[in-house]
Amino acid sequence: MMRKVSLIVLSAAAGAALTLFVTQPRSMTMGSSARAATSDTYRQLNLFGDVFERVRTDYVEKPDDSKLVELAISGMLTGLDPHSSYMDAKSFRDMQVQTRGEFGGLGIEVTMEDGLVKVVSPIDDTPASKAGILANDIITNLDDEAVQGLTLNQAVDKMRGPIGTKIRLKIIRKGQDNPIDVTLVRDNIRVRSVRSRIESDDVAYIRITTFNEQTTEGLKKSISDLQSQLGDKLKGYIIDLRNNPGGLLEEAVTVSDAFLDRGEIVSTRGRNAEETQRRSAHPGDLTKGKPVIVLTNGGSASASEIVAGALQDHKRATLIGTRSFGKGSVQTIIPLGSGNGALRLTTARYYTPSGRSIQAKGIVPDIEVLQDVPDELKSRTDTKGEASLRGHLRNGTDEKTGSQSYVPPDTKNDKALKMADDLLHGVKINASSPSPSNKAAIEKPANKAAN
């Protein structure tokens, strides 16, 4: 029997990557306890076979055998944790398209909660964001069909479709007495994951909305363009990771590397010690040691937490905002062969350079800044976080849930952004204020025993 191992990806919503297979032979020697465990496993598989046969022969209508198997696999995976799942062939293809940064649909990052589709965040400049879809909105109906009873993949499939076609969403929003009906026109979604602008005439502002295959190149281009525009008057960088749900691990590593000269970026640890992997920075800080501030909130998850954690541990950036989502697990995409889809399986936890696991805890900013929220939105400004998800991986007794995720649409009301700008201009001083690249950055993380 051979074991397949693939490149690791992670995301709060979905992610995929080119998959590398490494085969490792298992030992052929089996002790008595292992034989007993195997015997018990085969008894359980016999039970599954008995149930499968009874369903396919006695169910009131003739079921589709392949669909029964898919449902059984799906149930097994979704019962493990909130992020493991089975993708059929179409869903797998769709996911690969999405992580390339271009796909058809509405432009909504979604998850499943209590049998309904919950909006993680709308993607900027898409039909969803233009129609006013908000994070934490609950989608109950797609056209005239109830979402209850559908899997997440089925719901996403229904939201996608030919460009120019319409779909009607019924939405429940906290603070609203009645459901909201919204009609959207599907469009070709090109996810521009990096946007930048000049703030206050001398500050480089860069917003990263997701981590897809174009993110690092987009970041490098933004840094280069802003350096050319600002020249010597450049005070520093504000990297906005608020409401960024995550994406590809490789992109999180290379984005972190852009700001670091050396040291570990992240380690991933699976069930076996030999599966521990460490990713380190290469020489060359693209920002040339300029001060960096990172903005986070309750919607900053997964890959964005890797970046924030690495820069915070190395004291390369000051974190401002609210505690992040707390998704500290890694999902591996395992293709199952032509036409059989793939598994998204939780295979490891990740740790920041200092050895922190942020699973179900999140990353606490150096400076907490709460936004002023309009009265009509106060009921929906907190994200529950990883610790509130049913079946999440446990992480001790001090798990944390909930953090503000509201970002004011008008930058004049954005208190976190103003705090970052004031710190870069020296208007406010804080012990965690940004400074040029720390040459004494963490080289060897502490507490590195694999869990």
Side-chain angles (χ1 to χ4, degrees), residues 4 6 19 21 92 333-337 341-343:
K4 293 181 178 178
S6 67
T19 304
F21 290 97
F92 183 33
I333 304 303
I334 307 172
L336 299 174
L343 304 182

Side-chain angles (χ1 to χ4, degrees), residues 3-4 6-10 76-78 80-81 83-87 271 329-334 342-348:
R3 187 177 183 197
K4 293 181 178 178
S6 67
L7 284 179
I8 298 168
V9 305
L10 51 93
M76 175 173 57
L77 290 165
T78 56
L80 294 173
D81 66 76
H83 307 294
S84 294
S85 64
Y86 169 71
M87 295 173 286
R271 186 162 59 184
S329 64
V330 178
Q331 282 66 50
T332 299
I333 304 303
I334 307 172
L343 304 182
R344 183 192 290 116
L345 186 65
T346 299
T347 55

